[in-house]
Structure formats: structure tokens, C-alpha cells
Amino acid sequence: MNASFSPSRSKLHASVVGPVATLSIDNPAKHNALDLGMWQALPGLIAELERDERVRAIILRGGGKGSFASGADIAEFETVRADAEGGRRYEAVNEAAFWAVAHCAKPVIAMIRRYCLGGGFGLALSCDLRIASENASFGVPAARLGIGYPPGAVRLVTAAVGAPAAKDLFYTARRVGAEEAQRLGIVQRIVPDGALEETALALAHDIAANAPLTIRAAKAAIDAAVGLAHPGTDPVGLADRCFDSADAVEGRKAFLEKRRPVFTGR
Ligand code: COA
């Protein structure tokens, strides 16, 4: 039987401090697994942060000191992912969440400790950058569950690690630690667990201080280069917009005046 779908924000929490928004996945009893309602609620939350003019960078994380996310909530598969039809509907919701993050006009950083598995791994790869604790563990257990992984999410994994490493991860369903994940290009920084929040925040603030239009244009161009083009977005037009912006004037001026630029995103 496939149950009806309805978004639920009760286990997703967003907060904004200065220019950095933090979006937490809070389902601690299940290592922060995401149920269908959570997948469904994610695009709306991302859209709100995208519209919020205060926000220049977003950190996506697991709540508390828990895992980033142990993937989709397997307990509800029997009702919501029980057959091909349910699987398709589920995957459409799942992929919409991935693409909402991947195509967000603002940079999104995944802050990862402990488990980052299955749909959690897809979600982390939807982010622009991944910063991980030394205890982080990554993997795609789909082949151990006998389920299909959404093709769009497979594209995200392949874009990040290349086809041979993607096949290794999918076929073996093995878990890789933080160091191997860094070698594979999944993770950009590894830090001791106690320094994770502080380092992720510092990275988000560094990015938030840079020119938003430049970052927007770079994101669209880089994603297009690896087959993850943003629909309806023209990377050339976005780069043109940078040259015509007040921020480009400010960047030049600040350089000549030997001071830090103050960018407005206009
Ligand atoms: N969906 C639903 N429940 C999950 C879950 C998931 N993805 N991941 C963990 N849980 C639940 C467990 O069933 C357990 O519930 P219980 O306390 O009612 O028994 C609880 O979270 C704690 O997990 P447990 O397995 O006891 O912890 P662990 O430290 O031994 O192992 C994991 C942690 C994440 C390695 C293991 O739970 C696991 O393999 N989870 C499934 C991961 C997966 O296949 N994800 C892809 C889904 S498509």
C-alpha cells in the first residue's frame, strides 16, 4: 500500500545568525533518517532561505552531535515505497529535495559527523561543499536493501567521484571513512569532531563575505560543466551580471584602497 504524502517540518529546523543560515535534520532516534514528510518539506525551507536577504551561506547538518543523516527512513518503505509506483512517487519527492539544495542560488555547506548514508549521502552531495568530522562514514546501502536509487541522485554521486568510484560505492554498498572520502573528492575538509561546528561556521562566514553574484555565477557554471545544469539559468548571463554590478565596482575600489570589500549582492 502506498500512503499519501504530506510535508512535515517538525524534524527540520532552520535558524539564521548574521549572514549564515543553519538547517538541521532532527530525527535523533533514527540517526537523523529523513522520512517522506521531511523530504517533502525541504524544498520549501530552502526556498525560504534563498529568499531571505540576510542569508549568504547555508549550513546543512544533522541535529545535536548526531549523524548527518542515515538516509531515508526505512521503516516507512513498506507503506510509501512498496512497489514500482510507490518507488517512483517517492523518488520524485526525494529528487526534488536533492535538486532544491543542488540548485539553490546560495552556497550550501554540508557539515557531516558520523553516518552519512543512502539518501543522506545524496543530500550531502547536493550541497556545494562537505566538511566532515574525523568520525564521518559514507556509503550507499541501496544494494543491501534491494532498492533503486533515484537516477538524479546517481548523477550527483557520479559528478562528485567519477563513474568508476561511483560504481565501487554502489556495487559494494561499503562504507568509507572520512580520509577515503576526502581522497575520492567527496569531502573537502576533515577536522577533529570538537572543531566541526566552529570550522564549518568559519568557512560559511568566509564564503558569505565574498561577492554573492560571483559565487552564484560560479555555482551555475561549475554545475553545468559536470552535467548538473540549473534549469532556466544561463551561466554566461550570470557572469555578465557580475561585471555590471555595484559589487564589481566595490571590489575594484576596495582593492585599490587596500581594505576589505563590503559586498551587497547587487
Ligand atoms: N531508517 C529507519 N530507521 C533507522 C535508519 C534508517 N535509515 N537508520 C537507523 N535507524 C534506526 C534503527 O532501526 C534503530 O532503531 P531502534 O532503536 O528502534 O532499533 C535506531 O535508528 C538506531 O540504529 P542502530 O542500527 O541501532 O544503530 P547503529 O549505531 O548500530 O547503526 C546505522 C547505525 C546507521 C549504521 C544503521 O542503523 C543502519 O545501517 N541504518 C540504515 C542505513 C541505510 O541503509 N540507509 C539507507 C536507506 S535508503
Side-chain angles (χ1 to χ4, degrees):
M1 193 199 82
N2 289 302
S4 60
F5 300 178
S6 63
S8 163
R9 290 186 170 196
S10 61
K11 294 178 211 147
L12 294 169
H13 298 109
S15 61
V16 180
V17 178
V20 177
T22 301
L23 185 49
S24 294
I25 303 161
D26 285 311
N27 192 6
K30 296 187 176 187
H31 289 288
N32 293 327
L34 289 106
D35 59 34
L36 191 52
M38 293 162 78
W39 289 124
Q40 249 191 333
L42 252 177
L45 275 162
I46 292 287
E48 281 172 24
L49 297 177
E50 211 166 17
R51 280 194 302 271
D52 188 327
E53 292 207 349
R54 295 170 299 169
V55 175
R56 298 268 184 94
I58 300 167
I59 295 175
L60 180 60
R61 58 171 293 174
K65 294 284 176 194
S67 294
F68 178 76
S70 63
D73 185 341
I74 301 167
E76 62 178 11
F77 283 6
E78 210 175 315
T79 45
V80 299
R81 225 176 179 184
D83 53 25
E85 190 203 325
R88 281 278 183 100
R89 290 177 68 205
Y90 191 98
E91 260 125 57
V93 172
N94 203 183
E95 285 209 34
F98 292 152
W99 294 122
V101 175
H103 294 157
C104 176
K106 295 177 180 174
V108 187
I109 299 162
M111 190 197 94
I112 302 163
R113 59 164 50 93
R114 305 191 65 198
Y115 298 114
C116 178
L117 303 174
F121 184 60
L123 192 56
L125 287 173
S126 308
C127 299
D128 296 290
L129 297 166
R130 283 147 296 280
I131 176 161
S133 155
E134 288 164 341
N135 67 23
S137 169
F138 302 82
V140 193
R144 297 222 174 116
L145 293 163
I147 56 164
Y149 204 62
V154 175
R155 200 142 49 87
L156 284 166
V157 177
T158 309
V161 301
K167 287 178 178 173
D168 177 7
L169 292 172
F170 276 90
Y171 296 1
T172 65
R174 72 191 174 93
R175 279 194 227 141
V176 303
E179 278 185 19
E180 185 174 357
Q182 188 169 40
R183 276 201 305 281
L184 288 172
I186 295 165
V187 161
Q188 281 63 58
R189 315 244 198 301
I190 304 174
V191 294
D193 193 59
L196 186 60
E197 273 82 1
E198 177 197 330
T199 317
L201 265 177
L203 176 64
H205 277 277
D206 279 352
I207 292 172
N210 287 336
L213 294 176
T214 304
I215 292 168
R216 174 87 189 92
K219 177 167 179 166
I222 293 165
D223 287 346
V226 295
L228 304 172
H230 301 201
T233 304
D234 167 23
V236 177
L238 287 173
D240 285 349
R241 206 174 139 206
C242 297
F243 285 105
D244 288 337
S245 70
D247 278 352
V249 176
E250 166 64 5
R252 285 196 301 271
K253 219 167 151 245
F255 176 80
L256 296 172
E257 292 169 4
K258 301 191 189 304
R259 61 171 174 83
R260 286 203 68 150
V262 179
F263 293 120
T264 62
R266 293 194 179 82

